[in-house]
Amino acid sequence: MPAVNLPLIRGWVVVIVASTLATFLLDAVGLPSPVLFGTLLGGIAYALTMATPLAIPARAFNVGQALVGVTIGAMVNLPALDRLGTEWPSVLAVTLGTVAISVLAGRMLAFRRDVTATTGAFALIAGGASGITALARELGADEQVVTIVQYLRVLLVLLAMPLVTTVVFHPPTGRGVVEAGDPTWLPADVLYTVAAVVLGLVAARYARIPAGSLLGPLLVAVGLSVSGVLGTVTVPSLLANAGYALIGVQVGLRFTRASLRSVVRLLPWAVVLILVVIAACAAMGVFLSSVTGIDGLSAYLATTPGGVYAVLAMAADSGADVTYVLAVQVIRVFVMLLAAPLLARLLRPRSDGAPAG
């Protein structure tokens, strides 16, 4: 009978307790993705205070990436694609504009010697924070810097959005609501999630898809969602949160005191660049409204660089064009994630010799 590894068990108990407390606190104050960021903080707290090293098994981490991919893929549905068919020029313009703004800001973040070009680009990609975090290490970026800056971006976006919406657009409120998902484990939802995870991971393994643990399940999830073969489906919240937790804990456990000091030194410059990205995307929204006739509030919300669920709630409550906002936001996230491996390949030769952040 194998001996019980008490230090290992105690370590995981500490991680679970710290992650649970952090998640509840973040959820209580209304921060986005509290499970991912709460488990990240739990992992960091353990890594910085305990001597026994811990790590998520590679297969479990791959499953976490797959669950995040399926959660994102489930957002792509027929109404969003139908709207894309009629508004594709503006959606393409917003997507390409956001990519250009993100890459430029990322290059400016990489002015610091301890940040590679790949890390800078991924840290400031506007959209798909959970997916980008899941891909960062696999594609050669510093996942610790990417995670912190990505969720700082989401936080600043969410703080700016209600202020801009109220001060600039003065919309009426209470016009609509965003329906919450069914909290029960519906058979179709479970089947959808399991099928997308399994088929996506198998396809990624044999087709050698770059960053396949996330992108393979994501692509399968989109196919199943759009086909309607299982009806209207979503990922059960417990499974989606399990994916976020696996990614958050693994990233947090890889922190060291030296890497944390590096990230803290980076934050003032990162905040400045995030604010520039928010302003540039808002300007793109003004241009979009002027050339397409889409109302200013819908254009602003469609081009907001992150916080898709909060954006949709704001759009519904203020009477904006929810379908258009959803189409632009979701397609942009989808394109960002698919483009991430190519972006990493283009940037990596320039940054191989640079130290990680």
Side-chain angles (χ1 to χ4, degrees), residues 65-66 135 138 200-201 203-205 208-218 341:
Q65 290 181 303
L135 292 176
E138 187 175 348
L201 288 176
R205 179 177 180 181
R208 300 184 181 276
I209 300 172
S213 295
L214 183 139
L215 295 182
L218 188 154

Side-chain angles (χ1 to χ4, degrees), residues 192-227:
Y192 168 74
T193 305
V194 172
V197 167
V198 173
L199 293 176
L201 288 176
V202 170
R205 179 177 180 181
Y206 288 101
R208 300 184 181 276
I209 300 172
S213 295
L214 183 139
L215 295 182
L218 188 154
L219 292 171
V220 173
V222 170
L224 291 175
S225 176
V226 172
S227 71

Side-chain angles (χ1 to χ4, degrees), residues 4-344:
V4 176
N5 191 331
L6 289 178
L8 197 64
I9 293 174
R10 283 197 295 266
W12 282 115
V13 169
V14 170
V15 170
I16 291 170
V17 171
S19 297
T20 301
L21 289 174
T23 298
F24 276 118
L25 287 174
L26 293 177
D27 187 51
V29 298
L31 290 185
S33 299
V35 173
L36 190 146
F37 209 53
T39 53
L40 170 73
L41 293 177
I44 291 173
Y46 179 88
L48 298 180
T49 58
M50 300 295 179
T52 304
L54 295 178
I56 299 289
R59 289 185 179 178
F61 186 64
N62 289 343
V63 170
Q65 290 181 303
L67 287 169
V68 171
V70 176
T71 302
I72 295 169
M75 297 170 62
V76 181
N77 52 33
L78 280 176
L81 292 181
D82 286 342
R83 190 61 185 270
L84 176 63
T86 58
E87 302 283 359
W88 69 266
S90 62
V91 174
L92 179 62
V94 168
T95 300
L96 294 179
T98 306
V99 171
I101 291 168
S102 300
V103 171
L104 180 59
R107 293 295 294 175
M108 295 176 71
L109 186 65
F111 285 167
R112 290 181 55 96
R113 288 195 225 169
D114 53 354
V115 178
T116 67
T118 306
T119 297
F122 279 18
L124 286 167
I125 282 181
S130 58
I132 293 298
T133 298
L135 292 176
R137 182 179 177 85
E138 187 175 348
L139 295 179
D142 185 329
E143 62 189 340
Q144 298 158 359
V145 171
V146 169
T147 302
I148 295 294
V149 177
Q150 277 286 333
Y151 281 90
L152 180 60
R153 171 185 61 81
V154 174
L155 175 60
L156 291 177
V157 166
L158 295 185
L159 290 175
M161 183 173 58
L163 179 64
V164 173
T165 300
T166 302
V167 173
V168 176
F169 299 104
H170 310 287
T173 59
R175 288 191 176 183
V177 295
V178 175
E179 295 285 340
D182 194 321
T184 61
W185 286 64
L186 299 178
D189 292 345
V190 176
L191 178 60
Y192 168 74
T193 305
V194 172
V197 167
V198 173
L199 293 176
L201 288 176
V202 170
R205 179 177 180 181
Y206 288 101
R208 300 184 181 276
I209 300 172
S213 295
L214 183 139
L215 295 182
L218 188 154
L219 292 171
V220 173
V222 170
L224 291 175
S225 176
V226 172
S227 71
V229 65
L230 295 175
T232 302
V233 288
T234 187
V235 177
S237 59
L238 183 61
L239 293 179
N241 286 332
Y244 293 140
L246 287 168
I247 292 170
V249 167
Q250 179 72 333
V251 173
L253 289 175
R254 290 188 178 129
F255 266 80
T256 64
R257 293 177 185 177
S259 67
L260 189 59
R261 284 195 296 269
S262 176
V263 172
V264 170
R265 290 196 301 268
L266 178 69
L267 289 184
W269 183 225
V271 169
V272 171
L273 291 174
I274 290 168
L275 294 177
V276 169
V277 169
I278 293 173
C281 288
M284 187 165 55
V286 172
F287 175 76
L288 179 67
S289 177
S290 67
V291 300
T292 64
I294 294 167
D295 68 277
L297 177 58
S298 297
Y300 165 72
L301 293 175
T303 55
T304 296
V308 61
Y309 293 111
V311 169
L312 292 177
M314 178 72 73
D317 189 56
S318 61
D321 188 337
V322 178
T323 304
Y324 180 77
V325 172
L326 175 65
V328 175
Q329 288 279 353
V330 171
I331 297 302
R332 186 178 65 185
V333 169
F334 188 66
V335 170
M336 291 287 194
L337 294 176
L338 289 179
L342 175 61
L343 182 61

